[in-house]
Amino acid sequence: MTSLYNDGSFGEDLRPVTCSDEDLEFAYLFEYEPPCSDFAAGDQDDPNLAPHKVLSPESEQPFSLEEVSRYSIKSCSPSFNEHSTEVLSAYDNQEARKFLDSTRPPGLAVSPRIKITPSHEHYNHGQDSLQNPHLNISPRPTLTVPGHDNLAYREPQCLSPASSNSSTSWHSESYSPWASPCVSPSSVQNPGDLCPRLQNIHTASPRTSPGTSPRTSLTDDSCVGHRSPSPRAGSRSTSPQGKRTYDMYRNPGLMPVHRSRSPSPHSAHEDHTIGAHYTHANLPDAMNGFGSGQPGLVPTKIVKTSTQVYTLCPETHVEGNYLMPCDQDLESKPAVEPFFVIPPMWSKPLVPNICSIPVASLPPLEWPIPNRTDQYELHIEVQPKPHHRAHYETEGSRGAVKAPMGGHPVVQLHGYRGKEQLGLQIFIGTADERILKPHAFYQVHRITGKTVTTTSYEKIINGTKVLEIPLEPKNNMKAIIDCAGILKLRNADIELRKGETDVGRKNTRVRLVFRVHIPQPGGQHVSLQVASHPIECSQRSAHELPMVEKQDMDSCSLLGGQQMILTGQNFSSDSKVIFTEKTQDGQQIWEMEATVDKDKSQPSMLFVEVPSYRDTSVCRPVKVNFYVINGKRKRSQPQHFTYTPLPSPSIKTEPIDEYEADHMGFAVPQILGLSPHSYYHNQRSILHSDNGLISSMAPCQRLSSSLPSQDVRFQQQSPAIIYSHAGKSLSGSPSLYQQTGGMMPDSHRSVLVHTGSPAQSVGPISAGQHPSIIQFSPTNHHLVRVGDPQPLPAPQPDTQQIIYCDGYSPQAAAAHSPTTPQAHVAVAQPLAYSTVIQQQSFVQKGQQKSQATPGTQQMEASGDGQRRVTVKEENLDQAYLDDVNEIIRKDLTGVHARGQT
DNA sequence: CTCAAAGATCCGCCACAAGCG
DNA sequence: GACGCTTGTGGCGGATCTTTG
């Protein structure tokens, strides 16, 4: 297998491309985020978006079907230009690189990240086309790379300036990042082998995201049986949205095509979505803007499907580099070094935006955002079921996420008084204890069909598929989420992605994340986000693993004895409930099986008698975990339970500790309407804390909103106000963070982020205090300090600012790279700051010898450079740990240095 | 190398709606 | 237009094969 990546310079567009060596010979691969409404299409309602004619370079007439069909390159960027084009060269071909470096046009970067296998003959069709004199668009002198004859770079330039961003001769083919990046240039390896009718069908990408691909159309039923050995071949779902056999992937020519008699009620928008596909028949129209009126018809992948030798025409630079076929014998030049042309970022959405706010103005998906302000609240009225079997692309849809009691999740925006509808964005987020971010291995999948009542649109934001559905005042700003399924991406595909550090294995829990952006006067907007409870997406776990959804109590006295009712799934008569206690470094120090009342218990309910704690003399609350286990390795996620000390006048008051913090934390989710038993609600409070961090960012753009700190509700939710409750120095009292970590499942790892100056006073961060942020990168596990070298403008005493970084761009945000885009906010060292990083589930120990407690790293320094670093470790994965420790090491080094001075 | 678990794919059924006679 | 049959599609449940640790 060969893995291709586009270059990191395109940040968020890090897409792995995995091709079988047999399939891959030369491919232009990329995905672009958007839309390109001015490409080969137009908006019938908007004269400014009138279809652009894509003219044949030869005839200067719109492409004909025949002409298009002669081209083998399957799509193109509509915007190849000096701003956007990048040439990627072979990773290990220094010679080629040097050559390219010396010859490439300005503005074209050469990436060393591509590895590719030699070319193969795949697509006679394409080869013929490339040899077609009609394609000899530019008779410019060609340039060959010594020893790499079929290196090629081509920029479509054959278009008039008005449509100069359009392609010349490409078959469009979508490439979906969530879809398997397997690119099969051999879409039709041998057209003659296929159903003759299929030769004229340009199928969807073999890995096209189901929900994103407008269905291809079959011209002849006779082809159906050809591709399915099933006795019910004709009746089996042939939806390109879903059920595809593995063979179909291997041979996309066998891809089913759509002949729906019941088009989706949203089909009018289908082609506005990403990943549009074309048939040969409709491609010319699409390219020429005829007939479609579908601004979203944007090819998202270029696949050259010929072994034709190409040469670079560098002299044309921006305006006209073509991939020129030449006559050199490929076989005599085995060292094929293909180039990959990477598209630009397009900012225009493929879909008609419900949300009118430009994507570039919106916070990245991995940014934590509160679910409420004093004015608005985004709330999940009905949570999704804790299990939902995600479907692979090879499968048919497995439907929309449902609610536990039937129906579907419901989300409502409270407090909105406007008349305009808003767009509710939905994406699949992580469900571990880290900062919520888009899940690398799952994507939201738009469900359409008769059962779906909610209109939805798809878009990609920074590589994450996002559904957008309208929130309408007439519906009381409530949306029934019956259009959101979950698509599972293959682990291998995602793990190959550059910069991806997460592993897919056992990473099967997700959350539905909902966002809304509420425009404010003056062009600002308030963004709110809420995430659902975790959803387990694996097949097996749905049948085997017990899951606790609810517990009727979360604490009792040390003596135990009380009955606790657990509600959940997959309980059995053999289910046991085990209470455990672990130290901060993850060592289990207590385990006790609770008594389960088997007579009362049901598959969805367990009646448990809470065991007494091992030491009933302790005088402080003790947090433990329990889990349900059905047998070997079939245990639920750990749940949380707190033993409270027996009332005694002799109990002395302890300093602020985890327990106190926990209770503070609990107040938050309750206010938010989340289950107090869910660990994740605590994470929400983490996020809120981060929002507090965000609020400290400067120089940033204040986007919203004025929040009276006197609002009690907001005080209970706002991190800034929570801070104020904490008393004085934030860092001096890490309880806020400990509480969060303390509630985390043992099996999880976490990195919590805290910022604040010890000198900071209560309330909103004040001017001149230079708060700093160590922000855990959602993707790469790097910590990025976001400092503020400049005194912050003093916020109004009664306001809270939600600030997004100035200069934020999709590229930056999407990069999923902490080192790129936000660099402009990672500015100079703050004059004084404090950092508290708390990790749980560490495994590495002993790096810091001056730990106050086992498994805890703590470093303090006082004085002007007041800094405090507190790290707790409990069973964190090593990889995880390494990243953090590196940051800590540097941080501590700096502290030491300061201390010495 | 073996094994088990998890991932990925495949198979087939059902319900329902639309097309059609 | 009603009816019944056929077909297409979505939505599963479960089995099986493959990969991974």
Side-chain angles (χ1 to χ4, degrees), chain A residues 67-88:
Chain A
E67 198 164 14
V68 168
S69 67
R70 289 199 298 264
Y71 289 78
S72 64
I73 297 174
K74 296 197 170 181
S75 101
C76 74
S77 163
S79 307
F80 285 105
N81 56 42
E82 68 277 26
H83 302 299
S84 61
T85 305
E86 180 169 15
V87 179
L88 305 180

Side-chain angles (χ1 to χ4, degrees), chain A residues 662-684:
Chain A
D662 280 343
H663 281 255
M664 293 166 55
F666 273 142
V668 175
Q670 285 165 353
I671 289 296
L672 301 181
L674 300 174
S675 164
H677 309 299
S678 165
Y679 146 70
Y680 292 94
H681 74 257
N682 290 298
Q683 184 170 12
R684 303 307 303 161

Side-chain angles (χ1 to χ4, degrees), chain A residues 651-719:
Chain A
I651 294 178
K652 66 179 180 182
T653 302
E654 295 197 351
I656 293 176
D657 60 6
E658 295 182 8
Y659 177 68
E660 185 175 338
D662 280 343
H663 281 255
M664 293 166 55
F666 273 142
V668 175
Q670 285 165 353
I671 289 296
L672 301 181
L674 300 174
S675 164
H677 309 299
S678 165
Y679 146 70
Y680 292 94
H681 74 257
N682 290 298
Q683 184 170 12
R684 303 307 303 161
S685 63
I686 301 171
L687 303 185
H688 296 161
S689 298
D690 286 341
N691 295 326
L693 304 182
I694 290 173
S695 71
S696 69
M697 286 182 182
C700 292
Q701 176 184 3
R702 175 182 170 185
L703 297 180
S704 66
S705 67
S706 194
L707 306 177
S709 62
Q710 303 306 316
D711 185 314
V712 174
R713 292 189 324 159
F714 183 68
Q715 285 182 9
Q716 290 173 309
Q717 177 267 339
S718 162

Side-chain angles (χ1 to χ4, degrees), chain A residues 111-173:
Chain A
S111 164
R113 303 187 192 285
I114 298 301
K115 296 182 87 170
I116 196 165
T117 55
S119 301
H120 300 286
E121 179 64 38
H122 282 301
Y123 196 27
N124 295 334
H125 191 79
Q127 184 167 24
D128 293 344
S129 70
L130 287 168
Q131 291 171 341
N132 188 306
H134 287 249
L135 295 184
N136 196 9
I137 298 167
S138 171
R140 293 175 179 83
T142 59
L143 222 157
T144 57
V145 179
H148 307 282
D149 313 63
N150 50 357
L151 265 181
Y153 165 65
R154 172 184 190 171
E155 269 192 326
Q157 52 66 249
C158 55
L159 306 174
S160 67
S163 58
S164 61
N165 293 337
S166 297
S167 67
T168 59
S169 55
W170 326 76
H171 293 212
S172 67
E173 180 162 340

